[in-house]
Amino acid sequence: MTRVLILDDSLTVRMGLHEAFEAAGYQTVLCAKAQEAWEALAAEDCALIVLDVMLPDADGVEVLAELRRSLRTADIPVIMLSTEAEVQDRIRGMRCGADDYVGKPYDVDYLLARAHTLTRRDAVQAEGSPRVLVIEDSRTFRAFMQEIFTAAGYRVLLAENGEEGLRIALSERPDALVVDGRLPGIDGATVVRRLRMDAGLRHVPCLMLTASEDLNDELLGLEAGADSYLRKSEDPEVLLARVAALLRSAERSRSPLPETSALGPKKILVVDDDGISRQALASQFQLEGYDVTLAQSGEEALELLKAQAVDCILLDLVLGGMSGLEVCRKVKEHAEWREVPLLVLSVREDRPTVIEALNAGADDYLIKGSDMEVIRGRVRAQLRRRHFEQESRHWREEQLRQELVKAEARAAQELADTRATLLSDLAKKNEELERAKELAEAATQAKSEFLANMSHEIRTPLNAIVGMADILARTPLTSEQEGYVRVFRRAGDTLLTLINDILDLSKVESGRLELDVSSFDLQELLEKTLEFVAPRAHEKGIQLTLDFAPSLPRYRQGDAHRLRQVLTNFLGNALKFTERGSVTLRADYATQVGNLRLSVSDTGIGIPQEKHLAIFEKFTQADSSTTRKYGGTGLGLAIAKQLVELMGGAVWLESEPGKGSTFHVELPLELASSVPRARTEALPTASGSSMRILLAEDSEDNRAVFSAYLSRTSHVLTLVENGAQAIARFQEEPFDLVLMDMQMPVLDGYGATRTIRDWERESGRKPTPIVALTAFAYKEETEKSLEAGCNAHLSKPIAMRDFLEAIASYAPTPAPNALGDEISRKLQALIPGFIARWTAELADLPQGDLDAVRRFAHRLAGSGGMLGFPGLTELGRDLEAAAKVPNPAEIESRLAELSRQLDQIREQLDSQRA
Ligand code: ADP
């Protein structure tokens, strides 16, 4: 039960309040002194405090201030009670945080209504189940209603007639109302009508009950505003279901309602400096159930208004101090008070005064001393007007709110629709992208396959072209024919470069290029790369320099082969686009810690800014005349960029037309922990020992080329055209080496190799070396051939030198007791002498004397191979060919290479002897 603490020194007031509160269902705690109140509050919680201003042991306003200061009591609602004389106390009290101020003598209904509103806040939170007010005059039926509603989980409020019902409805604001149609006094229809007129209760669902079968009663009830109509004879289940349905729909349409109610208690401020007239008005209105606040002057009234809101103002025109008109104007200028009905009271009846008062904002003009009934009626009318204004404003707002809700719902719907459309669009787009991606992947796959096939198709005839050109160059030719062959070889080389470039690019693009990472000596790599392009630089008279930052670590981890490819491209371009000056390869620390910066600078033609990005695109050159003037395809930089990016680095350039170019590469090349072993060229093992070689190759041209390559060697060559023939021959006679083309009709090289390996195993033979010959440049192809059982792999077109070297590396080492051992030993003994002589001759060779060079080269070519150095023979032949025309750069580079090989051989011989 809700507990109310009443602190008043008057026993009459205490008892009066006690009775009123008990009757309204509250429990009271009565205290005559502040001290008692503090003790009571310390002992138990209270939901409300009614506090007299004048106490024997304290000032009520100070008690209030103390209550507000203490954490425990700060939130307890407080209604102050005071006699009207103490206006200043009232203002003080409101300022200290009183929730209401009620004048003595108080109106019980007003006080209870306020008490209820103030305590309901907490009650609402504590309550759960809905409350039904049953207005029914029959005691039995009331009891029955209470029973069924309680059983169904409702809380029930009971009233036995219309008036009581309305009062309870007003103070309790139930969630639903069940009203008997026939009641003593005001009947059910009137109760409903009154409820419907009240903004605060308009929405309470109403169900009308009747014992009569008269249709008219039902119509009357519904017309009055009942939501539903039910006969008492109806099954109680139906009644419960109806009430539940009404509550549900009320819940749905619930909206915030104005606090004010036309039937609710009102507070009136009477401003009059004449005490008698003030008291007369006060008692009149108190009798009507209003709470009356009195002010003696305009100043007092305005100050009071600041502390406490009122529902109506009665204002005497003639006041001591501020005039009534001025007060009126001030009230009407104030935003918060403007709407409060203000009625002017005056003894004067003249037109100008009336007009002046109304112009100052008064809502009505009353003549003092008129019939009190008239004054009360006019006040009621003003209150009603204000109430309707508030109500209509509320409905306008409500309508707006509903519009807003609808608009929001529409917007939400549109948003949801848009989102759904977007999502479905997105899904569609994703699907399309997925499809496009699949198509693109399929296209890339197809492109790679096409390139692989194309490269095979092109490389096979190219092998014949390059090989034959090689062989042709070594036959006696007229100088005119030699010129033709040179063109022939150069075109073959260009074609080969182009195919290699395209293949590289397609490998990178299809993600099939894998880096071959190992430790390497960066300085050595850069030196070798420069050596490779040195002849070109020499030819053009361009200075070629390596600038290796002294403290830069040399040993690195990475794909040395690909790095060299990138640098060769930059250097090649630098030399191509530079006519005079220098080309520098620089290795230094990069801006990013741990990275390496490599740059190639030239003093050539330079590149305009707008082309700096474009030249890294495929088939793009800075200038359309480039191809005509300098040749090239525009693929080199595209490949370089892709390779660098694959290595996790970046390329860019600095260049200006006429001021040369610098191409930069920045790479994250890790330091190598171990020093890589320097690779030296192996000395051919056996000297000229003759091998039995089985060559399986389906292309007639290539069979001719390979036969030609071997024609001047002592090897015995057996030719077959496919895998099946190869197996048959291999099983018929012994071979020292098999050269197996991988793409062949009937049975391909992979199948043939596998069968041979199986046969060897089954018949307990030692495996014979098998070298795969393929036109495919893909790593997978190499791996596939090794998997099938091949020992090595050569990619077509195969230059004669590579071919012979590969074969030489498989020549069996002569056994100490083997036949010819004697001869071999004799030959071995001759080697150091030969090498020394050639070295000396080379040192004295007049390079300008072409005849002398040619003669020397010829001798070298003749003897080198015989002594077991096919490389020297090869070099001798190249040098002899180069010396046929004045070609100083080429001759010089060959001679340098020769000197290097001789040095190497000598070193090896020395170490063998040691
Ligand atoms: P290619 O040299 O075969 O034409 P690249 O992709 O290597 O193809 O180079 C593309 C273009 O970039 C060249 O054609 C040239 O216009 C320009 N270029 C590249 N390097 C240089 C350079 N060092 N100096 C001037 N122009 C250059």
Side-chain angles (χ1 to χ4, degrees):
M1 215 190 266
T2 317
R3 191 177 294 119
V4 181
L5 185 133
I6 295 161
L7 174 53
D8 198 308
D9 58 338
S10 148
L11 181 64
T12 333
V13 172
R14 276 205 308 277
M15 289 327 287
L17 287 174
H18 169 69
E19 270 168 30
F21 275 106
E22 293 265 288
Y26 292 88
Q27 188 191 343
T28 56
V29 180
L30 302 176
C31 307
K33 289 183 183 168
Q35 191 50 41
E36 288 169 32
W38 290 125
E39 280 160 20
L41 282 170
E44 47 199 348
D45 284 338
C46 283
L48 175 73
I49 298 171
V50 179
L51 178 61
D52 188 14
V53 173
M54 297 268 269
L55 293 166
D57 60 338
D59 172 5
V61 176
E62 268 159 26
V63 172
L64 172 66
E66 187 62 39
L67 281 169
R68 289 295 176 249
R69 273 197 293 276
S70 152
L71 210 59
R72 252 193 91 223
T73 54
D75 289 332
I76 305 177
V78 175
I79 299 176
M80 306 268 323
L81 280 182
S82 80
T83 51
E84 277 320 315
E86 304 145 349
V87 174
Q88 282 312 318
D89 289 340
R90 185 186 272 256
I91 293 169
R92 244 182 352 127
M94 291 309 288
R95 287 196 178 141
C96 273
D99 293 273
D100 203 351
Y101 227 99
V102 175
K104 280 183 184 170
Y106 56 87
D107 178 83
V108 173
D109 285 337
Y110 179 85
L111 192 66
L112 285 177
R114 290 299 293 145
H116 178 71
T117 314
L118 291 171
T119 51
R120 211 173 116 77
R121 272 183 259 151
D122 314 333
V124 165
Q125 281 159 12
E127 286 160 5
S129 49
R131 295 181 315 161
V132 180
L133 169 61
V134 178
I135 309 174
E136 167 60 68
D137 56 340
S138 145
R139 183 197 294 264
T140 347
F141 201 73
R142 250 193 343 258
F144 173 66
M145 289 278 109
Q146 178 162 34
E147 198 182 304
I148 61 163
F149 276 112
T150 313
Y154 291 89
R155 281 170 303 147
V156 186
L157 303 165
L158 298 171
E160 39 186 295
N161 57 49
E163 290 83 352
E164 192 189 9
L166 278 174
R167 216 179 48 241
I168 296 177
L170 197 61
S171 64
E172 295 295 332
R173 304 207 176 202
D175 299 295
L177 200 135
V178 177
V179 58
D180 192 355
R182 300 247 164 119
L183 290 168
I186 51 171
D187 66 351
T190 310
V191 170
V192 173
R193 201 171 298 117
R194 292 247 187 111
L195 278 176
R196 290 296 178 245
M197 277 162 61
D198 187 278
L201 294 167
R202 169 163 294 166
H203 289 277
V204 179
C206 274
L207 187 131
M208 191 172 278
L209 279 178
T210 179
S212 97
E213 293 291 325
D214 193 350
L215 189 69
N216 243 348
D217 282 351
E218 178 170 347
L219 286 178
L220 277 174
L222 292 177
E223 251 167 32
D227 298 288
S228 200
Y229 194 90
L230 210 65
R231 283 180 224 306
K232 285 184 175 173
S233 53
E234 214 45 274
D235 188 335
E237 286 298 327
V238 176
L239 173 68
L240 286 174
R242 283 281 182 86
V243 171
L246 288 177
L247 280 170
R248 271 200 308 279
S249 69
E251 182 62 40
R252 277 198 296 274
S253 63
R254 176 157 301 161
S255 63
L257 285 167
E259 270 282 312
T260 54
S261 152
L263 303 175
K266 299 286 179 228
K267 204 182 267 297
I268 290 186
L269 170 63
V270 176
V271 193
D272 200 331
D273 56 351
D274 172 18
I276 297 172
S277 127
R278 213 163 54 223
Q279 283 311 324
L281 284 166
S283 56
Q284 277 297 323
F285 282 103
Q286 268 160 359
L287 277 179
E288 281 259 304
Y290 292 95
D291 178 62
V292 184
T293 308
L294 298 177
Q296 297 177 32
S297 68
E299 289 84 352
E300 204 172 70
L302 291 175
E303 195 156 348
L304 197 114
L305 279 174
K306 280 182 207 153
Q308 187 175 36
V310 300
D311 299 297
C312 183
I313 302 169
L314 279 179
L315 175 66
D316 187 15
L317 259 197
V318 185
L319 293 168
M322 192 185 284
S323 81
L325 275 179
E326 214 176 326
V327 176
C328 180
R329 264 185 223 107
K330 285 228 151 60
V331 168
K332 289 301 173 185
E333 275 164 13
H334 196 285
E336 277 172 38
W337 309 333
R338 187 176 298 150
E339 309 245 324
V340 179
L342 187 149
L343 295 93
V344 164
L345 276 174
S346 172
V347 281
R348 295 178 61 173
E349 259 179 287
D350 57 307
R351 243 171 70 89
T353 315
V354 174
I355 289 172
E356 199 179 11
L358 293 176
N359 280 347
D363 295 283
D364 203 348
Y365 193 96
L366 298 174
I367 306 301
K368 257 192 175 172
S370 321
D371 187 342
M372 259 309 168
E373 195 55 44
V374 172
I375 293 179
R376 284 206 304 266
R378 300 280 271 279
V379 167
R380 264 203 304 275
Q382 281 304 327
L383 283 171
R384 234 186 351 261
R385 178 191 59 76
R386 190 194 179 199
H387 172 71
F388 287 130
E389 268 172 21
Q390 277 182 341
E391 212 186 25
S392 74
R393 183 171 344 115
H394 166 72
W395 287 116
R396 269 200 312 279
E397 280 167 6
E398 175 60 15
Q399 225 162 359
L400 271 174
R401 196 187 64 81
Q402 279 177 7
E403 284 297 317
L404 203 69
V405 167
K406 271 191 224 150
E408 273 173 5
R410 263 199 311 275
Q413 184 61 43
E414 275 167 24
L415 193 71
D417 286 351
T418 316
R419 188 178 300 146
T421 321
L422 277 176
L423 278 178
S424 100
D425 283 358
L426 194 67
K428 235 185 280 163
K429 270 267 153 358
N430 279 345
E431 229 168 74
E432 278 169 21
L433 283 174
E434 189 60 34
R435 256 203 313 276
K437 187 176 150 241
E438 277 164 19
L439 278 178
E441 276 168 4
T444 310
Q445 185 66 27
K447 192 174 90 178
S448 301
E449 270 161 30
F450 167 76
L451 283 166
N453 290 335
M454 188 199 77
S455 95
H456 172 72
E457 296 305 331
I458 295 176
R459 276 163 180 258
T460 304
L462 197 58
N463 192 50
I465 296 171
V466 172
M468 279 306 182
D470 244 11
I471 291 161
L472 196 59
R474 288 165 220 276
T475 58
L477 297 170
T478 65
S479 63
E480 192 184 4
Q481 285 168 332
E482 269 172 15
Y484 296 157
V485 173
R486 250 200 315 281
V487 173
F488 196 5
R489 290 177 79 180
R490 206 168 39 233
D493 285 343
T494 309
L495 195 53
L496 192 57
T497 314
L498 182 62
I499 287 177
N500 286 340
D501 280 355
I502 291 177
L503 270 171
D504 271 352
L505 206 60
S506 83
K507 271 193 257 179
V508 183
E509 282 178 354
S510 61
R512 290 167 69 149
L513 192 128
E514 276 171 37
L515 294 175
D516 185 6
V517 178
S518 59
S519 311
F520 67 96
D521 179 345
L522 178 68
Q523 189 164 357
E524 187 187 299
L525 177 96
L526 301 187
E527 281 164 1
K528 284 243 171 76
T529 312
L530 279 186
E531 253 171 51
F532 182 73
V533 298
R536 205 51 215 288
H538 206 83
E539 206 174 289
K540 291 181 96 173
I542 294 166
Q543 193 192 340
L544 199 57
T545 330
L546 174 65
D547 180 359
F548 198 93
S551 60
L552 192 69
R554 293 171 62 148
Y555 302 109
R556 301 282 181 162
Q557 290 272 16
D559 189 331
H561 169 65
R562 293 299 176 185
L563 180 57
R564 185 175 167 154
Q565 186 178 349
V566 170
L567 294 173
T568 308
N569 177 266
F570 288 169
L571 288 165
N573 278 342
L575 290 170
K576 183 155 79 171
F577 297 105
T578 305
E579 287 314 320
R580 69 184 70 83
S582 61
V583 169
T584 309
L585 172 58
R586 207 166 275 119
D588 209 340
Y589 294 96
T591 28
Q592 193 176 333
V593 181
N595 277 9
L596 175 73
R597 162 98 55 101
L598 298 169
S599 336
V600 174
S601 306
D602 64 49
T603 53
I605 60 172
I607 303 160
Q609 180 72 38
E610 67 274 14
K611 301 285 180 185
H612 284 196
L613 286 179
I615 54 167
F616 287 102
E617 299 290 321
K618 285 176 277 186
F619 300 108
T620 309
Q621 300 183 318
D623 182 323
S624 54
S625 65
T626 308
T627 318
R628 239 179 300 126
K629 203 161 156 198
Y630 299 97
T633 53
L635 278 176
L637 287 179
I639 296 170
K641 177 167 186 271
Q642 303 241 29
L643 287 176
V644 169
E645 282 169 4
L646 193 67
M647 296 182 207
V651 288
W652 72 99
L653 78 132
E654 290 171 82
S655 181
E656 251 181 78
K659 295 196 177 160
S661 316
T662 302
F663 283 78
H664 299 279
V665 179
E666 210 167 292
L667 283 172
L669 288 189
E670 276 176 35
L671 301 182
S673 49
S674 64
V675 179
R677 207 162 30 81
R679 253 188 275 155
T680 49
E681 230 161 78
L683 197 65
T685 44
S687 43
S689 57
S690 154
M691 285 197 286
R692 291 155 298 180
I693 300 174
L694 173 63
L695 171 67
E697 163 68 81
D698 64 322
S699 153
E700 199 185 331
D701 289 345
N702 282 339
R703 282 202 302 274
V705 170
F706 295 134
S707 310
Y709 281 176
L710 291 172
S711 64
R712 299 203 204 155
T713 66
S714 56
H715 303 306
V716 181
L717 188 66
T718 305
L719 293 166
V720 291
E721 293 170 27
N722 60 49
Q725 288 179 2
I727 298 169
R729 282 307 282 269
F730 191 83
Q731 292 173 348
E732 274 167 23
E733 50 181 293
F735 287 100
D736 301 308
L737 177 68
V738 180
L739 300 173
M740 180 82 78
D741 183 26
M742 288 288 125
Q743 296 327 108
M744 284 186 293
V746 187
L747 177 64
D748 66 12
Y750 304 108
T753 306
R754 263 191 289 272
T755 311
I756 287 174
R757 289 296 181 225
D758 288 346
W759 182 75
E760 282 173 338
R761 246 193 318 280
E762 281 157 20
S763 53
R765 279 163 219 266
K766 243 178 52 199
T768 309
I770 302 179
V771 175
L773 311 177
T774 66
F776 286 151
Y778 287 126
K779 196 173 166 194
E780 295 99 283
E781 300 302 328
T782 319
E783 278 164 9
K784 212 167 128 193
S785 64
L786 296 180
E787 235 166 68
C790 294
N791 301 72
H793 170 274
L794 288 174
S795 186
K796 290 179 199 171
I798 308 161
M800 182 155 137
R801 185 187 164 140
D802 296 337
F803 189 75
L804 293 177
E805 264 178 15
I807 288 174
S809 71
Y810 287 101
T813 323
N817 299 326
L819 201 69
D821 194 28
E822 179 68 6
I823 310 167
S824 164
R825 231 188 349 255
K826 274 186 186 157
L827 273 177
Q828 291 282 337
L830 291 175
I831 291 173
F834 271 102
I835 299 297
R837 216 180 49 241
W838 287 333
T839 310
E841 272 183 53
L842 181 62
D844 296 338
L845 194 66
Q847 284 187 22
D849 184 347
L850 291 188
D851 269 349
V853 171
R854 243 195 342 261
R855 273 198 308 278
F856 173 67
H858 192 77
R859 262 191 300 119
L860 194 69
S863 316
M866 271 181 358
L867 291 173
F869 303 113
L872 290 183
T873 297
E874 186 71 3
L875 206 53
R877 283 188 191 137
D878 286 352
L879 185 60
E880 192 181 351
K884 283 187 182 162
V885 282
N887 189 353
E890 187 137 1
I891 291 171
E892 193 183 323
S893 102
R894 296 276 150 88
L895 287 175
E897 170 67 12
L898 180 59
S899 150
R900 205 175 56 78
Q901 282 206 15
L902 287 173
D903 286 351
Q904 225 167 40
I905 294 170
R906 216 177 31 252
E907 272 170 30
Q908 253 178 312
L909 290 173
D910 288 349
S911 71
Q912 271 173 14
R913 228 175 302 141

